[in-house]
Amino acid sequence: MTLELDAVISGGTAVTSGGVARTDIGILDGRIAALAPRLSAKRTIDAHGLLVLPGGVDSHVHLDQPATGASAMSDDFDSGTASAAAGGTTTVICFAWQPRGGSLKATVEDYHRRAAKARVDYAFHLTVTDPTSTVLEDELPALVESGCRSVKVFMTYDGVGLDDIQLINTLAAARKAGALVCVHAEHHGPIKYLSERIVAAGLTAPKYHAWAKPPLVEREAIGRITAIAEMLDVPIQIFHVSCPETAAEVARARARGLKVWAETCPQYLSLTAEDLDRPGFEGAKFIFGPPARSASDCDGLWHYLRDGTLGVISSDHSPLSFDHPKGKKAAGDDASFDKVPNGIPGLAARLPITFHEGVVKGRIDLPTFVDLVATRPARLFGLAPTKGSIAVGADADLVLWDPDATQVLTQAGQHHGGDYTPYEGREVRGRVIATYLRGQPVFENGQIKGSPGSGRFLPRAPYPEIAPRGVFPIPFNPVDGTLVA
Ligand code: URP
Ligand code: ZN
Ligand code: ZN
């Protein structure tokens, strides 16, 4: 007896990290049920002339984090995941962000409530800002067990960044609990010293943000955190690597055999420090950390994307409005660069920018594109094989992609909650025609479809990438306090 399929995507060219193939895709009960030519079903979706991609997996997305200081995010889970759908992303991993002095457990409970209106599927990273013994010994293990299998730590920012002992304790706790540690790697002391001296010299415009965070602060922090990871034998993912100089530090750690992975983001492939120098306060639209570097740095990152040093392209969507009292102007419309909240929106632009800069410009092929934006983040964060690929049994998270259509990126086209996009007016080739989440349209014909709440929480079970190697630099396991034979 042959099963009657709910839908078939007909006549398209499916792209996976393994290759490109003409095939129909049969969907049943929200999953891919068949990959074969000439399938029939109750509903046919015509994909002739189009590529069919696995739904994007964005492993670095800030949505509806409670306000810090005077600023507030411009996206909640409704608007943020609408933007994800418009950009061909069907899974986001967001940050349950412990406030200092607060409970991590309560943070996660609150974040589950906030995420109930998500339109695409989601998982949580645990952002640890206050690693007390209660947090590390009681709360974190239980939360990891409940499916939040990644921990986020900062090495900079007042009130958020951890010192070396706190970093060591948190990484050790993550190793014990079985979680991947994600790191914002920038060296806090030099940033603070430079910022104060630069501002004291009267250099306050947005462009001086890049002076206060030169590559050396990132290089030092990556070197330090990879040494800590080596000492503890704990797998880590370095977030938002901004330039070849710092990617090289990741490559050195990987050459030592460590389980160190890293990502970069579209902003480091397409924006530069010159954007920070736009007239008036416009440069504040481009303040994020680490900062954008030079055009040759953008170009140089592709070498590390091709050789696997950088395995993921995430958005680091950290949405703030520009012309808003809780956005970029929270400290005034002529605030010095160090008072401007960091972060830019980028969820919907992630696939278009990556495709244009990567595939259209001949720097990577189609399978590598899919690998970077969907397959590898799914695998690295324990969401494979359900997410990130086109295979029988996987969720029918699929994107119809026109590789030949040219589009101009605009604020309106981002479908997000903020009032600007840093990519306004940028012409790119390649665009999303439709996005399907578990077989249902969430974006079609330029419109957001479905309703808030159609996304599901994705608990993550233990998976191979987070298993420690069992190798220490001395014959002693400092986490367990045992001798190593
Ligand atoms: O500037 C940035 N990247 N803001 C978002 C928070 C972070 O550092 O990831
Ligand atoms: Zn960061
Ligand atoms: Zn971030």
Side-chain angles (χ1 to χ4, degrees):
M1 193 182 88
T2 51
L3 288 173
E4 192 184 8
L5 298 166
D6 295 328
V8 60
I9 295 182
S10 164
T13 299
V15 185
T16 67
S17 60
V20 177
R22 285 290 293 273
T23 182
D24 286 0
I25 301 174
I27 298 169
L28 182 66
D29 294 334
R31 294 190 174 229
I32 297 173
L35 293 170
R38 292 181 295 284
L39 294 171
S40 61
K42 294 175 206 155
R43 184 165 64 106
T44 299
I45 300 162
D46 182 9
H48 283 86
L50 300 176
L51 301 177
V52 187
L53 315 176
V57 176
D58 194 338
S59 49
H60 186 164
V61 177
H62 302 266
L63 296 179
D64 203 11
Q65 287 170 197
T68 46
S71 66
M73 297 207 140
S74 53
D75 275 317
D76 61 10
F77 273 85
D78 180 358
S79 62
T81 54
S83 188
T89 287
T90 49
T91 301
V92 291
I93 313 184
C94 303
F95 296 85
W97 186 299
Q98 178 205 16
R100 273 221 174 136
S103 148
L104 188 58
K105 180 170 179 282
T107 299
V108 173
E109 286 165 1
D110 173 56
Y111 213 50
H112 274 295
R113 283 189 289 274
R114 290 170 189 258
K117 50 188 175 178
R119 293 166 175 273
V120 305
D121 288 352
Y122 56 93
F124 295 161
H125 302 294
L126 304 169
T127 302
V128 174
T129 67
D130 197 1
T132 62
S133 54
T134 304
V135 167
L136 296 188
E137 289 161 27
D138 301 338
E139 296 189 332
L140 190 131
L143 293 167
V144 170
E145 198 54 36
S146 77
C148 302
R149 274 196 186 270
S150 40
V151 170
K152 165 81 180 292
V153 291
F154 283 86
M155 298 175 78
T156 187
Y157 294 130
D158 287 324
V160 174
L162 305 186
D163 66 26
D164 284 354
I165 297 297
Q166 291 175 318
L167 288 169
I168 290 168
N169 288 337
T170 307
L171 265 65
R175 185 188 195 274
K176 274 191 185 165
L180 181 67
V181 180
C182 304
V183 186
H184 178 122
E186 288 187 295
H187 192 179
H188 187 60
I191 295 170
K192 219 169 157 54
Y193 178 81
L194 283 173
S195 299
E196 283 170 12
R197 303 292 293 172
I198 292 167
V199 170
L203 307 174
T204 58
K207 71 172 178 180
Y208 298 109
H209 172 70
W211 288 23
K213 293 177 158 229
L216 67 91
V217 302
E218 195 184 333
R219 171 163 43 79
E220 187 279 345
I222 295 174
R224 181 155 39 102
I225 201 68
T226 53
I228 291 172
E230 186 169 3
M231 175 184 82
L232 299 172
D233 180 32
V234 58
I236 60 170
Q237 159 86 337
I238 308 292
F239 271 172
H240 42 48
V241 172
S242 70
C243 59
E245 175 179 338
T246 57
E249 196 64 44
V250 175
R252 275 192 280 281
R254 288 171 60 83
R256 295 201 297 279
L258 305 184
K259 281 187 148 181
V260 170
W261 293 277
E263 63 167 30
T264 190
C265 315
Q267 50 270 41
Y268 301 110
L269 302 168
S270 60
L271 300 176
T272 70
E274 284 179 22
D275 290 304
L276 286 164
D277 197 16
R278 296 208 189 176
F281 199 58
E282 285 282 302
K285 290 181 175 174
F286 302 88
I287 288 189
F288 50 83
R293 310 288 186 196
S294 68
S296 77
D297 285 324
C298 294
D299 189 47
L301 281 171
W302 289 98
H303 165 76
Y304 292 98
L305 285 160
R306 281 189 297 268
D307 80 0
T309 301
L310 304 174
V312 168
I313 295 183
S314 76
S315 67
D316 190 7
H317 180 83
S318 192
L320 294 157
S321 280
F322 178 63
D323 205 6
H324 192 280
K326 292 196 165 185
K328 292 290 186 182
K329 296 182 177 173
D333 58 9
D334 59 352
S336 63
F337 68 84
D338 58 328
K339 300 290 184 293
V340 178
N342 281 220
I344 57 168
L347 250 169
R350 185 176 69 114
L351 267 63
I353 296 274
T354 303
F355 184 84
H356 185 81
E357 292 297 323
V359 179
V360 174
K361 293 192 176 175
R363 289 160 159 152
I364 52 171
D365 58 15
L366 281 169
T368 305
F369 167 65
V370 161
D371 204 28
L372 290 166
V373 300
T375 313
R376 251 188 293 176
R379 204 168 59 230
L380 184 60
F381 286 95
L383 297 166
T386 315
K387 301 295 188 186
S389 59
I390 299 178
V392 171
D395 281 358
D397 295 351
L398 297 161
V399 177
L400 303 192
W401 181 269
D402 186 338
D404 300 316
T406 294
Q407 61 168 321
V408 176
L409 300 179
T410 61
Q411 155 66 7
Q414 304 309 294
H415 296 271
H416 60 195
D419 65 359
Y420 84 100
T421 168
Y423 304 109
E424 186 70 43
R426 187 175 287 255
E427 188 173 291
V428 294
R429 209 162 90 208
R431 75 175 302 151
V432 177
I433 301 298
T435 306
Y436 299 92
L437 174 71
R438 287 181 265 101
Q440 298 302 316
V442 285
F443 179 77
E444 239 176 10
N445 302 322
Q447 305 292 319
I448 303 297
K449 298 282 176 181
S451 48
S454 51
R456 288 183 189 156
F457 176 65
L458 303 170
R460 294 174 282 149
Y463 58 100
E465 277 74 8
I466 51 170
R469 295 188 305 150
V471 177
F472 293 90
I474 54 174
F476 182 68
N477 174 341
V479 182
D480 297 346
T482 53
L483 293 173
V484 178

